[in-house]
Amino acid sequence: MMNRKIKVTLISSTLIIILTVVLYHIITNTTDTSTTDNNKIAFSLYFTKDMASGINKGKIISYQDSTIKNKISTTGIDNGIIFYDENTLHSSDTETMFAYDENNLQTYKKKRKFESMSISSFKFGSDIVHINNSGYGDDNSYNTTLYNATKNNQLIIKDIISNVGHSNNTLFLMSDRDENNRMTIYTVTSKNDQLTPAKKLYFQGTNNGESHIIGDLIYYNESLLFVEDDGIGKVNFVMINLPDNKITKKKLLSYKTSDEISELTPYSNTNSVFLFKENCYFLDATGILYQVDLKTLTLTKQTLANDTTNRYIDTKKDSLFLFEENDTNNLLKEYTLKSDGTLHLKSTTNVMFPLTISGMYLSNFKVKK
């Protein structure tokens, strides 16, 4: 009887030790995984089919570092755009605006009329706004439509809008150049929950030039910043002081032929012109980074790469993320800012694309803030 009690006690003690060890491993492993996930980079890529092919389809792939976490199928749209608002991923396809909530894994959709090209999407105040190329209207004027997906209303600008920027309370929409190389900048505000046209501004391009604006318009400290290819040999950083419409230009680079500037000009959706920590940057398609200090207007150049490819850019807190797409591999690079404003490479991650995006092109890249 005594031996049986000793055996039972030994078995009980052994089970307690085993359960304690298992529980310890579960707790420590769970904690480690959670900590690791918090340090991982969450981002999304929008792939779409060129609609000229007659096939409308797209795919949004969300990653955490190199691991695919979610896929969303769309009907595709040329120049497709995505952006994050906290835990919600916003975008639109040819006739649907949608928001994917990563917390509850639900997709919310709103219909609009069929269109073939996105110009921009962003958060304006507390509203989500999508801007789309709408083609020619019944009156034979070209239409650009601003959709407020939050308030479910819209505003039509009767012009071809090529570049967009915004402050907290004003949208800036720049038209194509006219026959005098002048561009109209439409300003739009929100009044009584409606997008409302305000005053027009004008930018006169270089004399005898054929100006083209590269990338987005950037609002900074009562100024509008952008990069102008003047069409006759120079690419300039431009600052318009909005209170007095004073224009300041600084040459970034020179070129001799249209083929040369074509090779240097990045795809419009790469976010190649961007603001980061009191500096305005332009990354050309060959990997040269042009940095303008906005306090002194000092120009600094830095070589980030030595080949021509699409490089998509986004920023988060103290890091700049560059997604590089090429024939051999796809790389997510994280940079930090040095005291002189130049970038230091912190990490590089290889990213594999799924086979389901075969035949599509990468249109947009955004990092979850």
Side-chain angles (χ1 to χ4, degrees), residues 1-53:
M1 189 68 175
M2 183 67 69
N3 287 342
R4 188 170 176 273
K5 283 184 179 180
I6 292 171
K7 285 181 181 179
V8 169
T9 303
L10 286 171
I11 290 170
S12 300
S13 300
T14 303
L15 282 172
I16 289 168
I17 292 169
I18 291 171
L19 286 170
T20 302
V21 170
V22 169
L23 186 60
Y24 171 79
H25 280 288
I26 289 172
I27 292 169
T28 53
N29 286 343
T30 302
T31 304
D32 289 345
T33 303
S34 176
T35 303
T36 303
D37 283 348
N38 286 337
N39 291 330
K40 287 183 177 180
I41 304 164
F43 64 97
S44 291
L45 303 171
Y46 195 138
F47 298 90
T48 189
K49 192 85 172 177
D50 185 347
M51 292 183 68
S53 66

Side-chain angles (χ1 to χ4, degrees), residues 154-174:
Q154 67 182 49
L155 171 69
I156 292 177
I157 302 291
K158 291 185 176 296
D159 206 339
I160 300 173
I161 300 300
S162 300
N163 309 86
V164 176
H166 63 95
S167 66
N168 289 333
N169 53 24
T170 304
L171 304 181
F172 302 92
L173 303 100
M174 182 180 281

Side-chain angles (χ1 to χ4, degrees), residues 84-132:
Y84 280 101
D85 175 28
E86 296 181 353
N87 291 311
T88 304
L89 182 66
H90 296 272
S91 190
S92 63
D93 59 19
T94 51
E95 53 188 348
T96 305
M97 300 174 287
F98 64 86
Y100 174 71
D101 190 323
E102 294 188 345
N103 286 337
N104 61 23
L105 308 182
Q106 293 292 313
T107 301
Y108 304 93
K109 300 181 180 181
K110 288 184 179 179
K111 289 285 185 181
R112 55 172 174 70
K113 74 173 189 175
F114 180 90
E115 287 167 328
S116 62
M117 181 175 285
S118 287
I119 298 173
S120 189
S121 296
F122 46 82
K123 189 172 184 179
F124 179 50
S126 59
D127 298 344
I128 304 301
V129 174
H130 300 279
I131 302 179
N132 287 73

Side-chain angles (χ1 to χ4, degrees), residues 291-307:
Q291 169 205 336
V292 178
D293 185 314
L294 294 175
K295 294 179 180 177
T296 64
L297 295 187
T298 303
L299 175 64
T300 304
K301 291 197 292 185
Q302 181 182 1
T303 300
L304 295 187
N306 294 299
D307 61 334

Side-chain angles (χ1 to χ4, degrees), residues 186-344:
Y186 298 87
T187 65
V188 175
T189 60
S190 182
K191 186 175 181 181
N192 298 324
D193 291 336
Q194 293 281 340
L195 294 170
T196 306
K199 66 179 181 179
K200 296 179 185 178
L201 308 172
Y202 298 95
F203 170 66
Q204 180 63 54
T206 303
N207 290 339
N208 302 315
E210 295 182 351
S211 295
H212 164 69
I213 307 306
I214 301 173
D216 293 331
L217 311 179
I218 298 171
Y219 177 83
Y220 171 78
N221 197 23
E222 293 193 296
S223 295
L224 207 56
L225 317 176
F226 53 90
V227 171
E228 172 207 19
D229 165 19
D230 69 6
I232 53 174
K234 286 190 290 188
V235 174
N236 303 307
F237 164 79
V238 180
M239 175 187 289
I240 301 178
N241 186 49
L242 295 173
D244 61 8
N245 211 32
K246 180 184 176 182
I247 296 175
T248 303
K249 286 190 180 185
K250 188 171 188 66
K251 187 182 79 171
L252 299 179
L253 63 97
S254 300
Y255 62 91
K256 294 180 179 179
T257 66
S258 58
D259 287 343
E260 184 182 352
I261 187 58
S262 179
E263 184 175 326
L264 290 170
T265 304
Y267 167 55
S268 61
N269 254 14
T270 55
N271 196 29
S272 59
V273 180
F274 59 97
L275 189 69
F276 189 45
K277 303 289 185 182
E278 308 294 322
N279 296 292
C280 186
Y281 295 87
F282 167 55
L283 179 64
D284 74 19
T286 66
I288 306 298
L289 185 70
Y290 299 83
Q291 169 205 336
V292 178
D293 185 314
L294 294 175
K295 294 179 180 177
T296 64
L297 295 187
T298 303
L299 175 64
T300 304
K301 291 197 292 185
Q302 181 182 1
T303 300
L304 295 187
N306 294 299
D307 61 334
T308 303
T309 188
N310 286 330
R311 296 180 175 88
Y312 300 76
I313 300 158
D314 200 8
T315 59
K316 176 184 178 181
K317 294 181 180 178
D318 295 324
S319 293
L320 180 141
F321 295 92
L322 188 149
F323 191 89
E324 187 174 288
E325 180 191 21
N326 54 51
D327 294 333
T328 54
N329 52 18
N330 309 295
L331 302 175
L332 176 64
K333 297 180 177 180
E334 181 179 1
Y335 291 87
T336 54
L337 200 66
K338 296 198 287 189
S339 58
D340 62 357
T342 57
L343 301 180
H344 168 71

